[in-house]
Amino acid sequence: MSANSADSPLQLEIVLVKAGRTKIRYPAELLHDDGTHVTVRAAWAGAGVRDFGFVRFEPGDVFTEHYWRDRWYAVKEVRGPDGVLKGWYCDITRPATVSEGEVVVEDLDLDLWRSADGRAVLRLDEDEFAASGLETTDPQAAAAARSALDELELRAREDDFEALLT
């Protein structure tokens, strides 16, 4: 897939699977796919406003989303309707699978938030991860998920976090 043609932008569906079921499906514009790293742009696909306390996702927000076929996470740059960077929301996932017209990722419950200024780096949903039972049902995936969260947290605390996305 190429996002570099003069034709109209290629549209994909992002499919987020959780516990074996589709949690959400939404359209996105393909920006880049080099065979390993896929970058798309999508509008906030949630219903209404989602206030996490540390950030609000709301209609008009734009997400530039990065998925990898060989990494256990996805990174989503979040900007408000005015283009101001809110921060990065990182999902711990199995590596993405990309087929004709779809990017499918399996959410493994762990998340990380990095604020735009880099001062707030928050590990999220570790209780949900523990309750998921993944450590019992698939210990290798659970270890890969925890390792991915640790890697992301370390990178999020460094000044070159955005280099991760190239």
Side-chain angles (χ1 to χ4, degrees), residues 32 51 56 59 61 75-76 89 104 108 119 135 137:
H32 175 79
D51 190 340
R56 287 170 49 104
D61 284 352
V75 178
K76 300 169 182 178
Y89 196 90
V104 180
L108 298 178
R119 291 186 196 153
E135 291 179 298
T137 60

Side-chain angles (χ1 to χ4, degrees), residues 96-113:
T97 58
V98 182
S99 60
E100 194 59 40
E102 285 187 339
V103 176
V104 180
V105 290
E106 182 182 348
D107 185 348
L108 298 178
D109 293 310
L110 294 170
D111 301 296
L112 185 96
W113 171 254

Side-chain angles (χ1 to χ4, degrees), residues 31 39-42 62-66 75-79:
L31 300 177
T39 307
V40 302
R41 183 172 297 123
V62 177
F63 288 65
T64 301
E65 303 178 0
H66 300 266
V75 178
K76 300 169 182 178
E77 177 190 274
V78 185
R79 292 184 180 272

Side-chain angles (χ1 to χ4, degrees), residues 1-5 9-14 28-41 64-70 96-104 165-166:
M1 288 181 215
S2 174
N4 298 326
S5 73
L10 183 60
Q11 296 293 309
L12 297 173
E13 288 281 315
I14 305 301
E29 174 189 347
L30 177 65
L31 300 177
H32 175 79
D33 183 354
D34 66 9
T36 302
H37 177 200
V38 178
T39 307
V40 302
R41 183 172 297 123
T64 301
E65 303 178 0
H66 300 266
Y67 300 96
W68 289 268
R69 292 173 176 91
D70 62 352
T97 58
V98 182
S99 60
E100 194 59 40
E102 285 187 339
V103 176
V104 180
L165 307 177
T166 59

Side-chain angles (χ1 to χ4, degrees), residues 76-164:
K76 300 169 182 178
E77 177 190 274
V78 185
R79 292 184 180 272
D82 55 4
V84 173
L85 179 64
K86 292 183 176 188
W88 293 268
Y89 196 90
C90 308
D91 288 315
I92 303 304
T93 67
R94 291 184 189 271
T97 58
V98 182
S99 60
E100 194 59 40
E102 285 187 339
V103 176
V104 180
V105 290
E106 182 182 348
D107 185 348
L108 298 178
D109 293 310
L110 294 170
D111 301 296
L112 185 96
W113 171 254
R114 183 185 193 266
S115 63
D117 63 9
R119 291 186 196 153
V121 176
L122 307 171
R123 292 171 73 111
L124 307 168
D125 302 329
E126 290 183 285
D127 55 337
E128 288 180 30
F129 178 75
S132 75
L134 189 66
E135 291 179 298
T136 302
T137 60
D138 192 342
Q140 287 182 309
R146 287 205 178 278
S147 178
L149 182 63
D150 291 343
E151 175 190 344
L152 277 174
E153 181 179 17
L154 180 64
R155 298 290 297 267
R157 294 185 185 284
E158 297 174 352
D159 288 336
D160 72 338
F161 179 72
E162 292 180 74
L164 172 75

